[in-house]
């Protein structure tokens, strides 16, 4: 959150003394900014007849407006998941259609992540300059256009180019989380962001079910077209999507920000706050820099977090890509390695069957228990131990692929556990990273928390995409040479990431970020 201006903070400290009994002790235990939010939420009165967007959002609470916003931003997140999940399906399909080698299949996947990595700074700057809503709508338009256009790609070079452009557009999707979070009251923010992870899992499941229905008749081209439709739907519902009131206020459009806040009050059935809207984004004048994360106090933590995020993405997308490769084999697990250099032969092509898609669907469902397991464990064990524990469980589960079994049920169980637990690591990392960066910034060298929080999570996200770029070489190339070697690499990376989590210098559970 943006730093509150100093004058309202001093006034809120004085007014907090007017509370008595239990209310006084509980509010005084909060930091000054939280005192303002609490007093606004309880009484609807803001010090000095002025309020900020944060005050208003907390006072107006969670209601019909936020529910609609959840569905719209969730649709964006779901569409993103579908475009990512299709990578695991289109590879085997193109192998059969165009007789692609495993190297070409891997490069097609890598090109998407490369486009995502290169576009993050572009979309971030565009959102800061023109607003989150405009950027999201533009990204959805180009994403649906490039997604549909890639279905008509005549050659391998063209589909690599067009899917890289799709990855470029996907780089804007995190802006939907930014917009979403800026309309959420503080007490609901954590739970609602987890809800978006559920939309991601829903999107992945829908993509598999769509492939089950479409691939036997329309093929991979029809699947690409239909997979882009949720993005086209998002463009339409963007008509309702409001611009961030925080962005409008900070950009000098106070009237538009007030209009948006009045809309929230009307839909939530609350009274709009009285007074003057003031801007609380003073700290944004000084933004964080990457070199700020590498000062002496933060360097070790930053390097560990970068490795954890890249390992998490490496393992997660590795399991996703390995799933279709492993289900593509006709014998036991180790027989896939016997294909060797003949993997481009027509005789070696075996399209995924309905049974394969159903097994993939079951493993995709694993993301739901993975998310809820993380929510349950993270408050009991803490952030560091949760990340370490889940990486260890992933390593143990993936090692069972060493068993050269021909049982599809056994293979499905292994992948189910591995995918579910590694998806939970992402959730734990998203919780821990902004907390630890801000806590260190406060106690070490007194910089603005919001600035470092943004750059800290942003660089970690970039490292995650780097890990995702590498994983196709293992899951789609090395796996064809040796299942044991590919499995061992994922297991070792996970164990090293678990050790990195244990070595993190601070546990953020129960620590105040402000």
């Amino acid at each position: 959150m943006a730093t509150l201006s100093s004058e309202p903070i001093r006034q809120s400290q004085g007014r907090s003394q007017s509370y008595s009994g239990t209310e006084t002790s509980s509010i005084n235990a909060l930091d000054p900014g939280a005192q303002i939010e609490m007093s606004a939420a309880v009484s609807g009165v803001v010090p000095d007849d002025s309020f900020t967007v944060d005050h208003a959002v907390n006072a107006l609470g969670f209601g019909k407006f936020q529910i609609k916003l959840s569905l719209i931003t969730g649709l964006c997140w779901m569409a993103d998941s579908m475009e990512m999940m299709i990578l695991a399906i289109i590879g085997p399909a193109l192998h059969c259609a165009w007789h692609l080698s495993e190297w070409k299949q891997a490069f097609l996947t890598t090109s998407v992540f490369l486009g995502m990595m290169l576009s993050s700074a572009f979309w971030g700057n565009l959102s800061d300059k023109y607003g989150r809503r405009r950027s999201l709508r533009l990204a959805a338009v180009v994403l649906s256009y490039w997604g549909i256009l890639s279905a008509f790609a005549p050659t391998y070079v063209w589909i690599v180019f067009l899917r890289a452009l799709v990855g470029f557009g996907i780089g804007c999707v995190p802006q939907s989380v930014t917009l979403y979070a800026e309309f959420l009251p503080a007490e609901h923010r954590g739970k609602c962001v987890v809800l978006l992870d559920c939309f991601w899992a829903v999107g992945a499941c829908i993509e598999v079910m769509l492939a089950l229905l479409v691939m036997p008749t329309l093929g991979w081209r029809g699947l690409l077209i239909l997979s882009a439709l949720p993005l086209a739907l998002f463009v339409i519902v963007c008509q309702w999507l409001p611009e961030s009131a925080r962005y409008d206020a900070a950009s000098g459009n106070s009237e538009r920000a007030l209009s948006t806040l009045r809309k929230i009050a009307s839909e939530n059935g609350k009274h709009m706050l009285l007074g003057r809207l003031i801007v609380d984004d003073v700290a944004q004048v000084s933004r964080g820099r990457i070199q700020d994360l590498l000062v002496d106090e933060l360097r070790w933590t930053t390097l560990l977090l970068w490795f954890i995020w890249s390992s998490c993405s490496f393992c997660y997308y590795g399991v996703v890509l390995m799933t279709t490769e492993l289900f593509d084999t006709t014998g036991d697990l180790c027989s896939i390695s016997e294909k060797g250099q003949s993997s481009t032969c027509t005789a070696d092509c075996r399209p995924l069957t309905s049974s394969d898609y159903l097994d993939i669907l079951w493993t995709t469902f694993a993301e739901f228990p993975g998310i809820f397991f993380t929510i349950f464990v993270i408050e009991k064990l803490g952030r560091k131990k949760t990340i370490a524990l889940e990486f260890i469980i992933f390593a143990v589960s993936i090692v069972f692929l060493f068993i050269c079994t021909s049982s599809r049920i056994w293979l499905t169980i292994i992948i189910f556990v591995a995918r579910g637990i590694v998806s939970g690591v992402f959730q734990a990392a998203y919780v821990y990273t902004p907390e630890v960066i801000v806590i260190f910034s406060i106690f070490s060298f007194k910089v603005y928390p919001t600035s470092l929080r943004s750059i800290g999570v942003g660089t970690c996200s970039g490292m995650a995409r780097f890990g995702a770029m590498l994983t196709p070489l293992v899951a789609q190339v090395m796996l064809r040479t040796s299942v044991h070697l590919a499995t061992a690499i994922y297991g070792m990376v996970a164990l090293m990431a678990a050790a990195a989590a244990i070595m993190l210098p601070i546990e953020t559970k129960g620590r105040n970020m402000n």
Side-chain angles (χ1 to χ4, degrees):
M1 293 190 301
T3 305
L4 298 171
S5 58
S6 58
E7 182 179 356
I9 289 177
R10 289 196 298 271
Q11 292 169 348
S12 70
Q13 289 172 322
R15 292 201 178 199
S16 67
Q17 304 303 321
S18 63
Y19 287 84
S20 60
T22 305
E23 291 180 343
T24 303
S25 60
S26 62
I27 292 178
N28 286 338
L30 300 173
D31 61 275
Q35 291 178 24
I36 294 178
E37 293 176 355
M38 182 66 75
S39 62
V42 172
S43 65
V45 178
V46 182
D48 195 29
D49 293 328
S50 62
F51 62 91
T52 66
V53 173
D54 272 344
H55 302 161
V57 169
N58 281 282
L60 298 176
F62 187 94
K64 185 179 178 181
F65 178 90
Q66 282 78 11
I67 292 175
K68 287 183 179 180
L69 190 63
S70 299
L71 295 176
I72 293 177
T73 52
L75 175 63
C76 180
W77 208 240
M78 185 177 69
D80 175 26
S81 175
M82 293 176 67
E83 290 293 342
M84 298 305 297
M85 187 64 197
I86 204 173
L87 295 175
I89 299 171
I90 195 175
L94 289 177
H95 167 59
C96 291
W98 291 348
H99 315 309
L100 299 182
S101 67
E102 58 268 21
W103 285 98
K104 288 186 176 181
Q105 293 180 58
F107 185 73
L108 174 61
T109 304
T110 298
S111 67
V112 177
F113 292 112
L114 180 61
M116 292 171 62
M117 188 172 67
L118 295 177
S119 68
S120 57
F122 169 81
W123 291 114
N125 292 332
L126 202 68
S127 297
D128 284 342
K129 189 172 183 179
Y130 298 105
R132 286 84 160 101
R133 179 177 178 271
R134 289 183 179 178
S135 297
L136 282 170
R137 193 173 184 183
L138 175 62
V141 169
V142 298
L143 256 175
S144 56
Y145 175 73
W146 287 329
I148 293 174
L149 198 61
S150 62
F152 300 96
T155 63
Y156 171 76
V157 174
W158 268 107
I159 198 167
V160 167
F161 174 70
L162 291 170
R163 295 314 290 181
L165 291 178
V166 169
F168 188 90
I170 292 175
C172 185
V173 172
Q175 297 300 325
S176 66
V177 182
T178 302
L179 175 63
Y180 183 53
E182 289 176 346
F183 281 114
L184 293 174
E187 62 177 319
H188 295 282
R189 192 171 297 131
K191 292 178 289 186
C192 290
V193 171
V194 173
L195 177 65
L196 290 184
D197 285 329
C198 293
F199 277 105
W200 174 278
V202 169
C205 293
I206 290 177
E207 183 62 32
V208 177
M209 289 187 287
L210 189 63
L212 174 63
L213 297 175
V214 171
M215 287 295 288
T217 54
L218 300 179
W220 63 270
R221 296 183 186 273
L223 181 64
L224 286 176
I225 294 174
L226 294 177
S227 298
L229 293 183
L231 287 165
L233 178 61
F234 178 75
V235 174
I236 297 174
V237 299
C238 264
Q239 297 288 345
W240 182 89
L241 188 68
E243 181 54 83
S244 167
R246 179 192 291 272
Y247 169 81
D248 282 336
S251 302
N253 296 318
S254 298
E255 286 302 319
R256 192 163 65 179
L258 279 171
S259 176
T260 302
L261 293 174
R262 292 190 189 102
K263 183 178 181 180
I264 298 175
S266 174
E267 295 200 16
N268 289 358
K270 298 290 184 69
H271 294 291
M272 180 60 188
L273 297 183
L274 300 177
R276 178 172 54 92
L277 177 64
I278 60 175
V279 179
D280 63 344
D281 278 355
V282 180
Q284 295 304 314
V285 175
S286 176
R287 296 187 180 274
R289 303 168 300 171
I290 294 179
Q291 51 264 44
D292 292 335
L293 297 172
L294 298 175
V295 297
D296 291 341
E297 294 87 350
L298 274 176
R299 185 181 299 114
W300 181 238
T301 301
T302 298
L303 293 177
L304 288 174
L305 285 174
W306 285 353
F307 179 72
I308 289 171
W309 277 73
S310 60
S311 299
C312 183
S313 185
F314 179 81
C315 293
Y316 173 80
Y317 287 107
V319 172
V320 172
L321 296 174
M322 284 175 63
T323 301
T324 51
E325 295 293 333
L326 293 174
F327 285 151
D328 189 36
T329 183
T330 55
D332 59 42
L333 289 182
C334 299
S335 66
I336 192 174
S337 304
E338 298 173 1
K339 298 178 181 179
Q341 300 300 320
S342 64
S343 59
T344 60
C345 295
T346 305
D348 184 57
C349 171
R350 190 186 74 87
L352 295 175
T353 64
S354 297
S355 177
D356 296 326
Y357 287 121
L358 289 175
D359 288 335
I360 295 172
L361 181 62
W362 279 114
T363 60
T364 305
F365 278 132
E367 299 204 13
F368 292 102
I371 292 171
F372 295 126
F373 174 80
T374 302
I375 296 172
F376 176 76
V377 173
I378 198 168
E379 294 301 332
K380 294 183 178 296
L381 297 182
R383 281 68 161 135
K384 290 171 47 177
K385 291 181 180 178
T386 298
I387 295 173
L389 174 64
E390 291 184 326
F391 268 125
I392 292 173
I393 295 176
F394 171 81
V396 172
S397 61
I398 205 74
V399 163
F400 281 99
L401 291 178
F402 272 84
I403 302 174
C404 295
T405 179
S406 59
S407 172
R408 294 296 293 268
I409 296 178
W410 178 244
L411 176 59
T412 302
I413 292 174
I414 294 173
I415 298 176
F416 184 94
V417 175
R419 180 163 178 174
I421 208 68
V422 77
S423 67
V425 179
F426 261 127
Q427 180 63 29
Y430 266 114
V431 173
Y432 179 84
T433 302
E435 291 178 341
V436 71
I437 293 295
V438 174
I439 289 172
F440 261 119
S441 73
I442 291 172
F443 292 108
S444 298
F445 49 95
K446 312 294 184 185
V447 297
Y448 288 115
T450 301
S451 301
L452 270 193
R453 187 184 309 169
S454 300
I455 194 67
V457 176
T459 54
C460 286
S461 179
M463 292 303 297
R465 289 163 186 169
F466 176 74
M469 288 172 57
L470 296 179
T471 201
L473 300 177
V474 179
Q476 294 180 310
V477 178
M478 187 178 294
L479 187 74
R480 294 278 177 173
T481 303
S482 173
V483 173
H484 292 164
L485 180 58
T487 300
I489 288 177
Y490 285 114
M492 288 187 294
V493 170
L495 290 177
M496 288 189 294
I502 294 298
M503 288 188 289
L504 287 167
I506 188 172
E507 172 57 60
T508 61
K509 177 187 174 185
R511 301 290 293 270
N512 197 339
M513 291 178 62
N514 295 311

